[in-house]
């Protein structure tokens, strides 16, 4: 998801060549150069240029042009949130909270700031905001479902995320439908959402859907589809069970 981000700004520039950090980070009009883009961003942020705070935190979070550093990411994203009211910062801080990479916020506070970010993004008509909105609904849904022990409300947010095309929202909604967590069991609906996520190359969704085709679980047995899907999941290196099964297909 985060790799799709694109800042439409020319504020963080190397004025000797009129090249912007965002252009360098995303390879827009120039060869992609994470290192140079990051250092332009860092210089601007350390100079107190507020619009650079988010970019700097994002680079530290992603490891773009620098080693990943959750403490630095947390610092700059929090600066962006507190001084620029940037809803994207709130969403990444929520992601970091789930990954135990930030200690700044309590459970109730992180829910509050992500809900604020979602409300803010809902007022923005631009399509680029939908990408962040989908991720925001997904992150909020996971926090509420797993940490507030409220799977029904979690499914509400997963559905919002999935409908906005977020593959993580689609995958986890498929899991909820398959297992009946926060909603009635509906394996055909699970297969539908896993297919939507698999078309966006979500390894977990490919594994779940491939296993359904392999076992004939609520869908016709299709070993060709099963092999293709499970093979992709295995190739991600993130799903050991997929790697084991793929060796026998």
């Amino acid at each position: 998801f985060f790799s799709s981000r694109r800042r439409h700004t020319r504020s963080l520039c190397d004025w000797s060549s009129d090249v912007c950090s965002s252009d360098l980070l995303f390879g827009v009009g120039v060869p992609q150069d994470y290192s140079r883009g990051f250092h332009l961003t860092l210089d601007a942020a350390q100079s107190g240029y507020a619009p650079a705070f988010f970019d700097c935190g994002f680079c530290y979070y992603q490891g773009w042009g620098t080693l990943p550093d959750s403490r630095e990411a947390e610092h700059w994203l929090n600066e962006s949130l507190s001084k620029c009211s940037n809803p994207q910062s709130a969403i990444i801080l929520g992601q970091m909270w789930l990954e135990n990479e930030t200690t700044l916020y309590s459970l109730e506070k992180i829910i509050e700031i992500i809900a604020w970010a979602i409300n803010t993004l809902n007022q923005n008509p631009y399509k680029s905001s939908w990408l962040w909105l989908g991720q925001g609904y997904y992150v909020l849904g996971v926090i509420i479902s797993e940490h507030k022990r409220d799977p029904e409300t979690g499914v509400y947010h997963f559905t919002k995320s999935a409908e906005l095309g977020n593959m993580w929202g689609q995958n986890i909604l498929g899991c909820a439908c398959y297992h009946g967590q926060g909603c009635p069991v509906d394996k055909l609906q699970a297969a539908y959402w896993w297919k939507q996520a698999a078309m966006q190359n979500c390894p977990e969704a490919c594994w779940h859907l491939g296993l359904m085709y392999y076992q004939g679980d609520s869908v016709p047995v299709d070993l060709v589809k099963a092999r293709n899907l499970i093979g992709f999941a295995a190739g991600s290196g993130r799903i050991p069970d997929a790697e084991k099964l793929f060796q026998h297909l």
Side-chain angles (χ1 to χ4, degrees), residues 45-145:
Q46 290 178 334
S47 297
Y49 183 62
F53 295 163
F54 176 86
D55 291 324
C56 195
F58 188 83
C59 286
Y60 275 119
Y61 177 72
Q62 290 287 84
W64 284 8
T66 184
L67 292 174
D69 188 324
S70 58
R71 181 169 295 183
E72 288 292 326
E74 177 187 67
H75 167 73
W76 289 113
L77 291 169
N78 190 58
E79 287 288 286
S80 174
L81 178 62
S82 61
K83 296 181 180 177
C84 303
S85 297
N86 187 323
Q88 298 165 342
S89 297
I91 291 169
I92 300 181
L93 284 166
Q95 188 85 28
M96 293 178 67
W97 192 92
L98 283 174
E99 297 163 356
N100 296 314
E101 292 184 352
T102 179
T103 57
L104 288 175
Y105 303 101
S106 66
L107 172 60
E108 296 301 329
K109 187 62 177 179
I110 201 68
I111 289 174
E112 178 186 327
I113 67 169
I114 298 172
W116 164 83
I118 287 172
N119 182 60
T120 301
L121 289 167
N122 263 316
Q123 298 174 44
N124 191 324
Y126 297 107
K127 188 174 182 179
S128 59
S129 294
W130 302 350
L131 299 173
W132 287 97
L133 190 56
Q135 189 69 8
Y137 277 121
Y138 164 73
V139 171
L140 185 58
V142 174
I143 292 174
I144 289 176
S145 181

Side-chain angles (χ1 to χ4, degrees), residues 17-31:
S17 59
D18 195 32
V19 173
C20 295
S21 63
S22 58
D23 295 340
L24 292 164
L25 291 172
F26 294 93
V28 178
V30 294

Side-chain angles (χ1 to χ4, degrees), residues 118-183:
I118 287 172
N119 182 60
T120 301
L121 289 167
N122 263 316
Q123 298 174 44
N124 191 324
Y126 297 107
K127 188 174 182 179
S128 59
S129 294
W130 302 350
L131 299 173
W132 287 97
L133 190 56
Q135 189 69 8
Y137 277 121
Y138 164 73
V139 171
L140 185 58
V142 174
I143 292 174
I144 289 176
S145 181
E146 295 184 0
H147 296 274
K148 293 286 284 185
R149 300 292 189 267
D150 185 353
E152 290 80 10
T153 303
V155 165
Y156 168 82
H157 292 297
F158 297 149
T159 302
K160 290 283 191 178
S161 175
E163 290 173 346
L164 285 164
N166 183 280
M167 70 177 186
W168 305 114
Q170 292 168 343
N171 175 62
I172 201 167
L173 181 57
C175 293
C177 292
Y178 188 90
H179 296 288
Q181 297 173 335
C183 62

Side-chain angles (χ1 to χ4, degrees), residues 193-235:
W193 286 117
W194 282 336
K195 182 178 180 181
Q196 301 308 305
M199 288 191 296
Q200 298 189 68
N201 296 329
C202 175
E204 289 78 6
C206 288
W207 163 239
H208 296 311
L209 185 60
L211 202 57
M212 290 186 80
Y213 281 120
Y214 178 70
Q215 297 174 336
D217 184 1
S218 304
V219 296
V221 171
D222 190 325
L223 296 182
V224 173
K225 288 181 180 179
R227 180 177 175 80
N228 289 338
L229 289 162
I230 294 171
F232 183 85

